[in-house]
Amino acid sequence: MRWALVKVSLAVTTMVVLAFAVPLGLVIREMARDRAFSGAEREAAAVAPALSITTDRDQLERVVASAGSDAGMAVHIPAGDGQDALELGRQRAADEDIAAVRKLGRASTTGVAGGSTLLQPVALSTGEIAVVEVYVPEAEVTNGVGTAWAVLAGVGVALVLGSVAVADRLGVRMVRPAKSLVEGARDLGEGKLGARVPEEGPTELRLAAVAFNSMADQVVQLLANERELAADLSHRLRTPLTVLRLNTASLGEGPAAEQTRTAVEQLEREVDTIIRTAREAKPQTAPAGPGAGCDAAEVVRERMGFWSALAEDEGRTWRVAGADRPVRIPVARADLAAALDALLGNVFRHTPEGTAFAVDVHNGEDAVIVLVSDAGPGIPDPEAAMARGRGSGSDGSTGLGLDIVRRLAESTGGDVRIGSSVLGGAEVRIWIQPAGRASASRGRRGQVRRRRPGRLVAAYNRSHSD
């Protein structure tokens, strides 16, 4: 592209220079010729008044000498009234040309050796026609033409070289972004998802670079969302796996029971592998749209109906509070159910059989709080437990369950905290900002200000401390 642009610029500029320089050079030559013959006409005109008065040789010689061109001027006076023909100066024109001018009475030019001559007729007092001949050398006709042509040629060459240089710079300015775009597309096609191109160059290429970078970001985001979806779906398999694992405990001894337990353990390991493999990209939870959401109390009752059967099998006591009235939150029903399953699954997975647990829902003025607490050993390092992909450090813990809960809360402007429960074990507190109050608590810059439900949580803890 670069050299093609240079070639086109060279051809176009050369044609333009030739189109202007050639006619201009011819005009300059004609102007130099006209200037030379105009000077000859002035010299001839200086002699004409004397010829109309006298034909005396001495007087005419003084007039010709005063004109300053006695070496290049000749005067041809015909014979008449008893006078002989008079010739002054050196004759260069042919007799036929002089006779033709005398007969026609018009000035003319004719070529001679070394230049040209101007033949100017002049009427004498006797009625005869004299001819004044002025010699114009070829050097005078072409005086300054060569210099002007050289200047024109230099200007033309400078214009051509300048256009080539400008075209080369423009070509580089266009080729470099295009080359970067090609290399970025090739890298992205080879799987290098971090490939981006600089947004520079002409407007079209800059817009193409912006579109490419946006497309690459979308590809990365789509892949991250796919990995996230795979991880989330895989984690949701942990709930039925937990049920299977607990049910295998009641199978007793024997080859079939042992094979079933081994298969369940193998399946759990495979699910863990899928979760860890798919969790590379940073997840992104889309906020719920207007009118979307669910009744948190209804979802809590439904999921506790499922987990209560397993709790009875393991001798766990459980309690649900605050789920007797509707509590509307801007969270999809499936997402809240997945978050509750993740937390309750952790209780069954990481606490001994017979450990009590509770789920509490509190609907405040500025927040909805869902607490899942247990009487187990607790979580020694809450910050590490919230780190995605790390978990609590025990077998089968990926940390993705708490990350699902965190993303669900943050999608509403809330958060998740881990602490000690009134039961003596761990407590996971989900703070959710209701949809109807989300817009009222936005800051001046349009961002949701996360208000910590300090007094709400304190009042709730006091009400449940006994």
Side-chain angles (χ1 to χ4, degrees), residues 9 29 40 163 201 232 262 288 317 352 361 449:
S9 176
R29 187 179 66 177
S163 67
D232 290 349
T262 302
T317 59
V361 180
R449 291 182 290 182

Side-chain angles (χ1 to χ4, degrees), residues 422-443:
V422 295
L423 300 178
E427 177 186 80
V428 179
R429 178 184 302 158
I430 310 173
W431 181 71
I432 301 173
Q433 182 167 309
R437 283 153 278 184
S439 60
S441 60
R442 291 185 180 272

Side-chain angles (χ1 to χ4, degrees), residues 375-396:
I379 299 176
D381 190 351
E383 184 177 353
M386 289 296 298
R388 179 176 176 82
R390 293 175 59 182
S392 63
S394 60
D395 294 338

Side-chain angles (χ1 to χ4, degrees), residues 389-466:
R390 293 175 59 182
S392 63
S394 60
D395 294 338
S397 177
T398 62
L400 186 59
L402 289 175
D403 185 73
I404 294 174
V405 178
R406 177 185 58 79
R407 289 191 293 111
L408 178 140
E410 290 181 351
S411 67
T412 68
D415 62 7
V416 175
R417 291 187 179 183
I418 299 176
S420 299
S421 71
V422 295
L423 300 178
E427 177 186 80
V428 179
R429 178 184 302 158
I430 310 173
W431 181 71
I432 301 173
Q433 182 167 309
R437 283 153 278 184
S439 60
S441 60
R442 291 185 180 272
R444 293 183 178 179
R445 297 184 179 180
Q447 297 179 347
V448 176
R449 291 182 290 182
R450 295 183 180 177
R451 299 172 57 192
R452 299 294 188 252
R455 290 186 295 175
L456 176 62
V457 173
Y460 180 81
N461 288 339
R462 288 195 299 270
S463 65
H464 290 76
S465 62
D466 51 6

